[in-house]
Amino acid sequence: MSGSFSPRAVLGLVLFGAATFIALLYFIGQGDTGPGGASGSGHARSQGLDGYAGLAAMLQKQGYDVTLSRSPGKLTGESLLVLTPTQWSDPDDIAEIIERRRYSGSTLLILPKWNSVTVPASLTNTKQGWVQLLGAGRPRWTDELTDPQQMTVRLARLPGGTDWQGMDLAGQLPDRNQVLGLEEGAWTSLVRDSRGRDLVAYADDHGCYPVLDAAARAPAPDAECDGDKWSLVVAFEPDLFNNYGLADRNRALLAAEVIEAAREGQDIPVVFDLTLNGFGANKNLLTLAFQPPFFAATLCLLLALLVVGWRAFGRFGAPVAEDRAIAFGKTRLAANAAGFIRRSGRLHLLGAPFADLVARRLAASFGLRSADPGAIDAALARRAPDGPSFSELADRLRAARGPSQTLRAAHALKSLERTNTR
């Protein structure tokens, strides 16, 4: 090989480029294309104070079928969907998810409140996933929601004593100085704070929710309520459900009671959404290529490419001209096809199709409407009364098994066609 680079250097460059390209395909398939996009806390995978990993684990231990969903396609099934959006989520996305589910499953929307940063793992006495709370703020996107999701929420400081009460439970909040509650909106209260604001409520949208109505001590719904509609429950104060709040027994009991009431007495799974936190993932060809059972085929393809590349790298000079494996011409092509059929031992399978082909040709030559053997025999009898019948020769060809019998019967049928066609 001539040039500025040695064969070893060229090989190294080729291998490095191939490895880089494969890694690019892998990370594109996994969705790891760069930093940003996913929220580090405030979701069901987060172990921090504002996360909901504790709620998911508690429900699993209680026997619930709990799933953490990264797929938008799982948000419309019959289940209790728990939405944990961020402060910067798109209100249109939230409203669309809720509206799509009104007749397929119930929804629990937990509003965000805390601003947090991840605590570096290098600090002493810290664990992976811990966060530091920097302060609270109300989600601004709630102002853009419309009926029946319209709500006005504010932060407020609560006086001393009991901070919340509802569903036959009461207790205090982790931080009574920054409590998020409902100020205005058409909602039926489940839990209220000491100022009379709703901390947990469900939408008053003319649906039939007997379990929620009983938990809220609300009057029975009228006869015109929509029995096919599923409920929308909103937790305006997230500290009743997050890891920070579940440190208290009463708050953990309340979270379990709200989950059970939101299921409306139905045995449906609980699905925690992760797409609103930036963890959504759609299946694509690149993703499937690096997952079983297709990963084995991908490895075989990569090995084949490696072999081809190695042979191309080690090949020098012009290729030696080779003769064609199959010569040109119709005769040679037919002979090769016949030889293949003979070697495969399937010659006897050609009898019936050849007989049908001859029947169609004879019918066309005699002007018959169909290739009926009886009609062909009648036409042959009128033309050559002493000649053999088509049905006899065709049956002999279909019954032939050995190569010699098949060829003799086919030759006889071909002779009959050649004699009686124009």
Side-chain angles (χ1 to χ4, degrees), residues 174-329:
D175 187 350
R176 61 162 54 106
N177 294 321
Q178 303 179 91
V179 179
L180 190 63
L182 177 69
E183 300 285 347
E184 295 179 7
W187 301 84
T188 302
S189 178
L190 289 172
V191 182
R192 290 182 176 177
D193 62 12
S194 57
R195 299 184 56 179
R197 304 182 309 161
D198 291 344
L199 301 184
V200 182
Y202 60 96
D204 185 6
D205 54 1
H206 305 289
C208 297
Y209 314 122
V211 177
L212 288 171
D213 292 338
R217 305 289 195 272
D222 54 39
E224 298 181 356
C225 66
D226 189 350
D228 296 327
K229 186 179 292 185
W230 288 79
S231 62
L232 167 62
V233 181
V234 177
F236 303 100
E237 174 49 65
D239 287 349
L240 294 173
F241 295 85
N242 56 24
N243 301 331
Y244 196 11
L246 294 187
D248 178 75
R249 182 176 183 275
N250 280 359
R251 292 194 294 265
L253 289 174
L254 177 67
E257 290 291 338
V258 172
I259 292 292
E260 184 61 27
R263 295 171 77 213
E264 281 291 333
Q266 303 296 320
D267 186 16
I268 55 177
V270 180
V271 178
F272 285 85
D273 169 59
L274 297 177
T275 62
L276 293 178
N277 302 92
F279 293 99
N282 291 319
K283 292 292 185 182
N284 53 62
L285 293 179
L286 291 177
T287 302
L288 295 176
F290 290 95
Q291 291 181 356
F294 306 104
F295 186 54
T298 303
L299 287 180
C300 293
L301 178 60
L302 294 178
L303 290 176
L305 292 176
L306 180 62
V307 172
V308 172
W310 177 257
R311 287 179 59 86
F313 182 81
R315 185 172 184 174
F316 296 91
V320 178
E322 300 178 354
D323 294 335
R324 291 182 55 86
I326 300 177
F328 288 109

Side-chain angles (χ1 to χ4, degrees), residues 59-417:
L59 295 177
Q60 282 182 325
K61 291 183 178 180
Q62 290 179 345
Y64 289 89
D65 181 9
V66 178
T67 304
L68 275 62
S69 175
R70 299 178 57 186
S71 173
K74 294 183 179 180
L75 304 184
T76 57
E78 186 172 301
S79 62
L80 169 60
L81 178 65
V82 182
L83 299 176
T84 56
T86 68
Q87 295 271 12
W88 304 275
S89 294
D90 189 343
D92 293 335
D93 293 341
I94 299 173
E96 181 181 358
I97 293 175
I98 293 174
E99 286 303 318
R100 284 202 314 242
R101 294 185 51 79
R102 295 319 303 270
Y103 292 93
S104 62
S106 54
T107 306
L108 171 60
L109 173 63
I110 305 179
L111 300 187
K113 181 179 73 171
W114 293 108
N115 299 313
S116 62
V117 294
T118 303
V119 177
S122 58
L123 297 180
T124 58
N125 299 324
T126 61
K127 295 183 179 181
Q128 185 178 3
W130 281 17
V131 297
Q132 180 180 1
L133 302 181
L134 301 180
R138 73 178 188 91
R140 302 290 178 178
W141 49 261
T142 57
D143 297 337
E144 302 182 34
L145 298 177
T146 58
D147 289 335
Q149 306 165 20
Q150 190 273 332
M151 64 184 74
T152 302
V153 295
R154 295 286 187 272
L155 286 171
R157 176 180 298 180
L158 300 182
T162 301
D163 293 334
W164 60 269
Q165 184 174 4
M167 303 183 73
D168 297 328
L169 294 167
Q172 295 179 338
L173 292 169
D175 187 350
R176 61 162 54 106
N177 294 321
Q178 303 179 91
V179 179
L180 190 63
L182 177 69
E183 300 285 347
E184 295 179 7
W187 301 84
T188 302
S189 178
L190 289 172
V191 182
R192 290 182 176 177
D193 62 12
S194 57
R195 299 184 56 179
R197 304 182 309 161
D198 291 344
L199 301 184
V200 182
Y202 60 96
D204 185 6
D205 54 1
H206 305 289
C208 297
Y209 314 122
V211 177
L212 288 171
D213 292 338
R217 305 289 195 272
D222 54 39
E224 298 181 356
C225 66
D226 189 350
D228 296 327
K229 186 179 292 185
W230 288 79
S231 62
L232 167 62
V233 181
V234 177
F236 303 100
E237 174 49 65
D239 287 349
L240 294 173
F241 295 85
N242 56 24
N243 301 331
Y244 196 11
L246 294 187
D248 178 75
R249 182 176 183 275
N250 280 359
R251 292 194 294 265
L253 289 174
L254 177 67
E257 290 291 338
V258 172
I259 292 292
E260 184 61 27
R263 295 171 77 213
E264 281 291 333
Q266 303 296 320
D267 186 16
I268 55 177
V270 180
V271 178
F272 285 85
D273 169 59
L274 297 177
T275 62
L276 293 178
N277 302 92
F279 293 99
N282 291 319
K283 292 292 185 182
N284 53 62
L285 293 179
L286 291 177
T287 302
L288 295 176
F290 290 95
Q291 291 181 356
F294 306 104
F295 186 54
T298 303
L299 287 180
C300 293
L301 178 60
L302 294 178
L303 290 176
L305 292 176
L306 180 62
V307 172
V308 172
W310 177 257
R311 287 179 59 86
F313 182 81
R315 185 172 184 174
F316 296 91
V320 178
E322 300 178 354
D323 294 335
R324 291 182 55 86
I326 300 177
F328 288 109
K330 296 181 180 180
T331 303
R332 189 59 187 172
L333 180 61
N336 288 335
F340 174 76
I341 295 174
R342 184 174 63 254
R343 293 189 64 180
S344 64
R346 298 292 188 269
L347 189 63
H348 64 280
L349 299 178
L350 298 180
F354 184 73
D356 295 338
L357 177 63
V358 173
R360 290 194 295 271
R361 289 177 178 174
L362 289 173
S365 177
F366 294 156
L368 302 177
R369 293 184 177 181
S370 64
D372 179 64
I376 296 175
D377 289 342
L380 287 174
R382 290 193 297 271
R383 176 171 295 190
D386 298 332
S389 66
F390 168 79
S391 300
E392 179 183 354
L393 297 180
D395 292 341
R396 187 185 305 170
L397 177 60
R398 292 188 178 95
R401 286 296 176 263
S404 299
Q405 294 182 8
T406 302
L407 290 176
R408 284 198 299 269
H411 180 71
L413 198 60
K414 183 64 177 176
S415 298
L416 177 68
E417 178 190 3

